[in-house]
Structure formats: C-alpha cells, structure tokens
Amino acid sequence: MAVGKSVLRVDARDKVTGSAKYTSDLEPREFLVAKVVHSTIASGVVKAFHLEEALAVPGVVKIVTCFDVPDVQFPTPGHPWSVEKAHQDVADRKLLNRRVRFYGDDIAAIVAEDNVAADRAARLIKVDYETYEPYVTVEQATAPGAIPVHEEKPDNILAHSGFRLGDMGYEEAAASEEGLVTVSKTYRTQTVQHSHIELPNSFAWQADGKINVVTSTQIPHIVRRVIGQATGVPWGSIRVIKPYIGGGFGNKQDVLYEPLNVWLSLQVGGRPVKLDISREETFASTRVRHAITFHVSGAVRPDGRIVARKCQALSNQGGYASHGHAIVANAINGFKQLYRDEKALECEASTVYTNIAVGGAMRGYGIPQSCFATECLSDDLARAIGMDPLEFRLKNCMESGYEDPHTHVKFNSYGLKAAIEKGREIIGWDALREKYRDQTGPIRRGVGMSIFCYKTGVHPISLETASCRMVLHQDGSVQVQMGATEIGQGADTVFSQMASEATGISLEKIHISTVQDTDITPFDTGAYASRQTYVSGMAVKKTGASLKRKILDYAAYVLRYPVENLDLREDQIVDTVTGAVLRPVADVAVEAFYSLDRSVHITAEETSHCKINTFASGCCFAEVEVDIPLGKVKVLNIVNVHDSGTLINPQLAAAQVHGGMSMGLGYALSEELLFDAKGKPLNNNLLDYKLPTAMDTPDLQAAFVEVPDPTGPYGNKALGEPPAIPGAPAIRNAVLHATGVAIDSLPLSPQKLVEAFAAAGLID
C-alpha cells in the first residue's frame, strides 16, 4: 500500500541540495530586461507621457505605453473558461491601462539591455494625469455622486447576490418568540498579501513559430488561454512552461504579467525578454486578499438553539475584477453552511470597485473572512446567553448528511463533531475555561475556538476536469505526467503515491514530471480550491487503472494466461488464485517494447470530468496570554483538528496544516496592507508589513479525524486551504475569554487592543 504512508517527498533531494530549477534559474543566456512603469496616482486618466530623457538612456531598447497596446480587455482570474458568455469572467483590464484605477496600475513598460538602464529610464519618465478623487473604502465608492471606477458600473458595484432560507425573514423570525436573545454586530477583515517566497517572474521569447513563456504560475494551461485572449496570438502558438514554483497561495492563480511579457517580446522581434517583479510591486500591483465588512445579526433561544441569522457582506474589490464577486459569494455560502438556522437565514453580498490594490484569490477563497464573522457571532451569541461556546457549536453546527440547498454539495463523510471533541481533549478546554474564569490584573489568559467547513474544488460552480498520462518504461518503471501543478504543497508526492496504488508499481519506480509544459503536459486547470488531490487524483486513479489493464493484457498474451487470473502487485505479475509470481513487470515491459511478434508501447491517458463534491471540516483551539496595558497577544498553544478524509501522506498533511496555521497567526495578529487617503500603499515591503516570524510562533499542533470520503479517489478530500481558515477567530475568541472585550476586526494589533481595553475600563 502506497497511500496512507509518510513517504519522503519526491522533490526533497532537489530542494535540499539546491538543484531544483525555478523560473529565474532557467533564463536564457542573452535576454532583454523589462520593467513596468506604475501609476503614481490611484484614480484618473493618463493624458501624456514625456519619454525623451528616458529614451536617451544608453541600453534602452524600446518604451511602450498604454497608448500603444491593443484595445483589448481581457480577464485575469484562473478559472476554467466557459463556453457560455454569462459564466465567463469579467474582462476589464488591458495590457497597459490609460484609465488609472489604483496606485501602482500598469501604464507603461521599458525594454532595456539590463536592469540599470531600465531602472534609470523609469525614473526619467514623466506622466501627465487628469486626477480624480480616489476611493479607499466601499462607503466612499458607493456614496452619491461617486465617479465610476469602470464606466460600465456607474454605481461601482461589480455584482450583488443573495438568498433567503426559511418561511420568513430574519426580522420576523427574531420577533416570533418571547425570550429570544439577539446580537447585531459589524465584523471587519483586512487587506493582506500572499507574501510567497518566489516573486511572480517570467520570461518570453519567440522561436520555432511559437511564443514561449517560462513563468512562476499555479495555472499554466489557463495562462496560455489568457495570453491568447489578451494578445491575439492563437492559443496553439503559445507554449507555457511552469518549473518548480516557490509558493503562490492564490496570487499566482491570476494571470499577472505573462500577457504583457509576451507582447513586449513581440515588440522587439521575438527576442527573449525577462520581466522581473519586485517585492514592492508584488504587494502593490498584483493581488491581495479582499477586505470584507460583515453586518450580521443572530437570534437565539436561552437554551442555545439558533433561530435565525442575517448577514450582509461588502467586499472591497480594488481597481479590477480579477476573481470578482466569486470571493464574497463564497463567503456568504460559508456563513450559510456552518450552522442550522431553525426559522430563517438571510444573506446578501456586494462586491464594490475601489481604488486600492486588486482583490484576488488567496488561500481559502473568502472563507477565512466568512469564518471570522461567523465564529465571532457564535461566541458573541453564546456569551449573551451564558453558554459554553463549545457546547453552543455542538448544539447548532451542521450535522452529518447536510446538503447545501443551492449547490447541493453534501457532507459525504462527516467528522466535524468528532474533531471538536478531539480538540477539546487536546487543549484541555473544560479545565482552561474554568481556570481562566473571572480574572483580574494586567496579564490574563483565555482559551477560544472556532469551527469551519470547506467544499473541495469548484464543482458545481465551475467546470472540474483533469487529465493524467502514464508511460511504461523498458525497466518496468512508470513516467507520470500531470497538468496539475506542484507549488510547494507536496502534490507530486501524493500523485506518485496514488499512481503506485493504482498500478501496483512500487513507489520507487514511479517517476513524475514536476515541470508543466502546455505543449506536452495533459490538460488540468491547476492548483487552487484544494482540488488537486481530489479532482486530479481521480485522473491519476483512472489512468493508473487503465495502464494496469494494458500491462496485464500484454502479460496475458506473453504468458498465454487468462487475463482475468492476473494481477500486478509489487512490480510483479501474479496469479490471482494462487498468488504465485509469474513474471516481473520489467520483463513484460522489455518484451512489449522489443518483441518482433507484437511490439506495443504501453501508455495510458485519461480525463476525469469531476461532477461531484464534498465538504471538509474541522476546528481550531487557541490558548492566549494578553498583556492588557501593552495590547499584546501571545499565543501559548494552538491546535487544528481536520476532517479531511483519508490522509494520503500523513506527514505532508501535518506540514500543510502547520503552514496554514502560521498564515492564520499573521492574519489574526499583525498583517494588514495599509493605504493612505490617496490610495497609496504605506507598507508594501517586508520591513513594514508584519509577517509572523519563528519568534512569534508557538508549537503548532495538527490532529486529524480520518473518516474516509466515498467520493474521494482514495477516501481523501480538501486539506490545502482549510488550515488557514479557523485560526484568526479562535484567537479573537480566546482574547474575549481572557478580557471580556470583543474585538470585532482584524488584525488584533496592539494599538487597536489598547484602545478597546481603555474603552472597556481595563486600562486607567
């Protein structure tokens, strides 16, 4: 059995020795350097450029501006393309933009012989603007008389959606019984950046009748399509290569600068052009996690049963649509899915264009924001009726067999309550809740929790499809090619384990190609939505079964044996009745390649069109110490418990959870991308943007409840994104327990806490 074991990562040696090749390691010997010129205003129109001094810089080859690019608007999110126009992404940006919509918008580009020339020229370009008032908040953008950020959306609302469940509205339900306790709050989450290690760099050149692109992306096949849409180059004339990638977390689930890079190469005769994006540019000009404001209400009986809830979510989209309304629509779905409302649930969401950095996909896709609002409300409701928050959740959380009434996604396997109980035991919940009751003094401790659920992949909202190819080598080993992308999460390792399980070929003889090449690699939409082990894993299993059938068919011919009496186990062809080893697979492979009688090159390629989905779930428990006068929160202990079905590789699973927990700590306590009143980012660098360090991180505990999911290829379901979801509300709720003060926005920064503690009378 290969599945279920903590085997060594297949890329471990390359990464430990430094032999792994990333985009910048593969640059051609002679290449030109491109540099993007960004706007220095947040809203307005470019009227003119003054390029004379910049063009005179030695080494400058070409300068192109927003007046030179094709008049083509294209979409950038990494979603499967739809043949139905109504389901296509919003196409609202160009290669370079004359209408400036955020500080750092792309307005021109320089191609030069080296970085020195490009940087000098950029500093010498002067731009004339017609400047408009910038909108940093959704309230500003939706105020009467606000200037449209995009002319086609005069009210600046990109999209609005909502739903109601139950026979009555929230207000009617909240007034329908005597003695109901109600809570109404506004919870706010902040803008953060992905902060992946490798920057989103690329290079492009023309050769052999194709435009070639090497890029750090999660979605190579989608990048090819968007390049074609943006530049007019036929899709089949574009080759995209994705080598090893140093993280993405959703930022690289957008097509960022690859279309511009291609177009710049074409402007200089197809010469190789490298487009480097700095850390500061990545913060300001790529994508961020949406800041979302949640106006919520809940009505609960004194015994703890939720009667009704209401949620209005407003998402700050920034200057362009990117993933658009999908993020906040997913957020209100998350609000719906986690609890049972006896009489009524009302949810509505709006996505609003503003003039800050563009919101896109980030690990969890709206659910970290939704979970903060949902789980803060749960603790606040429990506190209002004097009920233990854990018991409140057990009483109201979604039960086994839950089916979403709109998407019809089901809990096909259910371990949420078992995860809660497991976390309760690990953290010592009951003892700590009692121990930290009614504290006084400047230093106090508390324990809090949160729960979550997360659907696996994008079905039925979007297409889910993946392909795999396997080739039998002469020595009986198997080459596996996937369109699904390894981005540091261990995908290549779990795909190799699945391939071994499906074929009967030992793991040591499974070779996987980590490089995706759209000219060679089977189609897959890429790494996002915690989909790959589930969706692409189905393609691996299907292809492995197909390859195994072909090997056994040939073995039956060679051995003159009934194929139904043969199996492939541990690299051997065996008799299914007696278990006797009949022939090594390697011998069969050699015969297949070189037989003068029947030469067969045994390969298999299959597509899995996934038309099913399921929920993963889990919880987080956090114990904190709060220094009230300093407004400082120290996390003493934190535990995530995950219901993710069968673990393909337990050690990799734990590593995924640890990484997500670390991101959750930063989201909870320190990270926020700040903007001034003019929309200029104030801390778009790793000095001023406060990522947590090893000194800020306690021991991270990961635990699992393994309930095999019948829909997963090997009983597995989502794990990639869920670990980043529940940490922030658990920490907030622990601070509430420690101090009695509810902090309703993220991050829980010292200044914010000191102000709240002073307002509550805890600081003189």
Side-chain angles (χ1 to χ4, degrees):
M1 293 285 288
V3 164
K5 294 181 180 179
S6 294
V7 303
L8 186 69
R9 288 182 63 131
V10 298
D11 55 0
R13 182 177 296 276
D14 283 352
K15 290 182 174 178
V16 169
T17 61
S19 62
K21 301 299 182 185
Y22 296 82
T23 297
S24 291
D25 296 317
L26 299 174
E27 60 193 25
R29 285 188 177 181
E30 296 181 4
F31 60 90
L32 300 173
V33 170
K35 183 174 182 61
V36 179
V37 178
H38 302 284
S39 66
T40 54
I41 65 169
S43 183
V45 175
V46 176
K47 304 302 290 184
F49 288 93
H50 302 280
L51 305 176
E52 297 80 9
E53 292 181 68
L55 286 168
V57 172
V60 170
V61 175
K62 193 174 186 69
I63 299 176
V64 296
T65 74
C66 54
F67 299 106
D68 304 317
V69 297
D71 187 19
V72 175
Q73 294 193 151
F74 58 93
T76 64
H79 290 154
W81 186 241
S82 176
V83 294
E84 299 175 2
K85 189 172 180 60
H87 291 95
Q88 293 172 8
D89 292 301
V90 177
D92 66 351
R93 71 188 298 152
K94 300 178 183 179
L95 293 170
L96 299 167
N97 301 291
R98 183 183 178 194
R99 170 65 164 98
V100 172
R101 296 182 172 94
F102 68 96
Y103 191 101
D105 207 346
D106 309 327
I107 59 174
I110 300 162
V111 181
E113 296 287 350
D114 53 49
N115 283 314
V116 174
D119 289 342
R120 285 186 61 197
R123 289 193 295 269
L124 293 171
I125 291 177
K126 297 179 177 61
V127 187
D128 295 336
Y129 297 102
E130 178 182 339
T131 305
Y132 304 149
E133 178 187 358
Y135 307 129
V136 177
T137 67
V138 295
E139 291 79 11
Q140 292 171 334
T142 54
I147 297 170
V149 177
H150 291 266
E151 291 183 0
E152 61 271 21
K153 298 292 180 181
D155 58 1
N156 286 325
I157 296 177
L158 171 60
H160 176 88
S161 64
F163 53 81
R164 287 178 55 170
L165 296 175
D167 297 328
M168 60 184 75
Y170 171 79
E171 301 299 337
E172 184 182 356
S176 65
E177 299 179 26
E178 293 289 335
L180 291 182
V181 176
T182 62
V183 170
S184 293
K185 284 286 198 81
T186 296
Y187 303 111
R188 301 179 188 274
T189 63
Q190 77 281 34
T191 301
V192 300
Q193 222 280 329
H194 309 70
S195 303
H196 36 70
I197 296 174
E198 184 192 21
L199 298 170
N201 299 324
S202 63
F203 54 89
W205 74 99
Q206 194 170 28
D208 302 322
K210 288 205 171 189
I211 190 77
N212 303 275
V213 185
V214 178
T215 179
S216 180
T217 182
Q218 299 171 220
I219 49 169
H221 282 277
I222 293 176
V223 167
R224 177 172 66 170
R225 183 254 297 169
V226 176
I227 289 172
Q229 292 172 322
T231 64
V233 177
W235 298 5
S237 299
I238 301 163
R239 181 184 187 187
V240 176
I241 300 168
K242 185 240 80 173
Y244 277 116
I245 176 172
F249 306 119
N251 196 21
K252 298 174 187 176
Q253 198 208 331
D254 249 76
V255 183
L256 298 172
Y257 284 102
E258 296 92 347
L260 177 60
N261 197 354
V262 165
W263 190 76
L264 292 175
S265 174
L266 294 174
Q267 302 315 295
V268 292
R271 293 177 62 185
V273 174
K274 185 175 184 186
L275 182 51
D276 278 334
I277 303 300
S278 70
R279 180 65 65 180
E280 291 75 13
E281 289 175 290
T282 301
F283 268 88
S285 302
T286 58
R287 305 293 181 269
V288 296
R289 175 178 280 163
H290 297 73
I292 302 180
T293 299
F294 298 88
H295 303 293
V296 302
S297 298
V300 62
R301 295 194 185 103
D303 68 356
R305 184 71 180 93
I306 296 176
V307 173
R309 290 180 305 149
K310 182 178 182 179
C311 175
Q312 181 191 34
L314 300 171
S315 178
N316 190 329
Q317 179 55 45
Y320 294 93
S322 180
H323 286 247
H325 192 60
I327 304 292
V328 73
N330 204 39
I332 60 172
N333 267 342
F335 189 88
K336 166 187 57 179
Q337 291 159 350
L338 202 49
Y339 290 97
R340 294 170 287 121
D341 302 279
E342 190 170 289
K343 291 187 177 180
L345 174 66
E346 288 186 55
C347 289
E348 60 177 318
S350 296
T351 298
V352 181
Y353 281 124
T354 64
N355 298 120
I356 67 168
V358 178
M362 186 173 174
R363 195 173 187 175
Y365 211 78
I367 303 301
Q369 300 97 308
S370 171
C371 189
F372 182 73
T374 307
E375 290 304 276
C376 288
L377 177 62
S378 292
D379 252 54
D380 291 347
L381 286 170
R383 188 175 184 84
I385 60 173
M387 188 173 183
D388 180 281
L390 187 148
E391 298 297 339
F392 180 85
R393 288 173 170 85
L394 288 175
K395 191 179 189 76
N396 292 286
C397 70
M398 283 304 174
E399 301 277 2
S400 176
Y402 167 74
E403 178 178 337
D404 184 290
H406 302 115
T407 65
H408 300 291
V409 176
K410 297 179 181 178
F411 260 116
N412 293 301
S413 62
Y414 181 83
L416 176 56
K417 287 190 176 181
I420 294 171
E421 294 292 0
K422 190 167 189 173
R424 177 185 211 158
E425 180 181 352
I426 293 171
I427 200 80
W429 173 268
D430 298 285
L432 291 179
R433 292 293 292 191
E434 182 60 32
K435 180 180 179 180
Y436 298 146
R437 184 190 300 274
D438 302 324
Q439 297 173 84
T440 59
I443 309 295
R444 303 182 191 180
R445 291 186 174 187
V447 61
M449 68 168 298
S450 66
I451 63 175
F452 74 91
C453 69
Y454 194 81
K455 68 181 177 65
T456 305
V458 299
H459 176 81
I461 306 301
S462 294
L463 171 70
E464 275 292 17
T465 183
S467 296
C468 173
R469 181 183 302 127
M470 295 185 188
V471 178
L472 181 67
H473 293 314
Q474 291 96 324
D475 62 353
S477 65
V478 171
Q479 187 70 43
V480 179
Q481 293 178 317
M482 301 287 297
T485 51
E486 167 67 68
I487 62 171
Q489 80 280 45
D492 284 351
T493 303
V494 298
F495 289 147
S496 297
Q497 290 178 260
M498 289 177 163
S500 175
E501 191 80 16
T503 60
I505 302 296
S506 62
L507 186 59
E508 294 74 20
K509 291 192 172 185
I510 299 293
H511 307 290
I512 192 163
S513 302
T514 195
V515 175
Q516 276 70 50
D517 180 335
T518 57
D519 268 12
I520 300 169
T521 306
F523 183 85
D524 193 296
T525 49
Y528 56 86
S530 302
R531 64 180 291 278
Q532 288 197 141
T533 307
Y534 187 79
V535 177
S536 303
M538 293 178 182
V540 174
K541 185 176 183 180
K542 188 176 180 180
T543 306
S546 178
L547 184 73
K548 183 176 181 177
R549 284 194 302 272
K550 291 182 178 182
I551 294 172
L552 292 176
D553 179 72
Y554 194 84
Y557 162 75
V558 170
L559 296 168
R560 302 295 188 265
Y561 222 80
V563 69
E564 61 270 17
N565 288 356
L566 295 179
D567 197 7
L568 199 170
R569 302 172 189 166
E570 302 284 334
D571 305 317
Q572 305 291 330
I573 306 298
V574 301
D575 186 308
T576 57
V577 177
T578 67
V581 173
L582 303 175
R583 187 75 63 88
V585 170
D587 289 356
V588 174
V590 169
E591 181 79 13
F593 268 92
Y594 300 115
S595 171
L596 296 177
D597 181 46
R598 183 184 170 188
S599 176
V600 177
H601 302 164
I602 300 176
T603 67
E605 182 170 345
E606 299 288 347
T607 296
S608 177
H609 183 181
C610 178
K611 296 184 178 181
I612 197 165
N613 208 329
T614 191
F615 285 110
S617 64
C619 54
C620 178
F621 289 80
E623 182 186 1
V624 305
E625 182 177 271
V626 184
D627 186 321
I628 292 174
L630 293 181
K632 183 172 177 60
V633 177
K634 181 180 181 181
V635 179
L636 304 173
N637 192 10
I638 188 165
V639 180
N640 267 32
V641 187
H642 286 266
D643 154 40
S644 291
T646 301
L647 303 180
I648 305 300
N649 185 314
Q651 192 171 23
L652 274 180
Q656 281 276 49
V657 174
H658 289 165
M661 293 173 77
S662 179
M663 293 186 79
L665 287 170
Y667 191 46
L669 297 174
S670 61
E671 293 185 46
E672 182 173 16
L673 186 56
L674 299 167
F675 302 88
D676 67 15
K678 294 184 178 180
K680 181 179 180 180
L682 297 173
N683 59 334
N684 58 316
N685 60 78
L686 292 179
L687 176 64
D688 299 316
Y689 183 87
K690 299 302 180 183
L691 288 170
T693 69
M695 298 295 290
D696 305 307
T697 305
D699 288 339
L700 304 172
Q701 296 192 63
F704 300 92
V705 173
E706 289 196 66
V707 183
D709 194 289
T711 65
Y714 290 101
N716 53 292
K717 56 184 181 178
L719 182 61
E721 291 164 287
I725 294 170
I731 293 169
R732 179 266 189 188
N733 291 337
V735 173
L736 172 61
H737 181 226
T739 66
V741 178
I743 309 299
D744 295 338
S745 65
L746 292 175
L748 307 180
S749 57
Q751 181 176 348
K752 185 184 295 181
L753 293 182
V754 166
E755 291 173 356
F757 295 154
L762 300 183
I763 302 175
D764 296 331

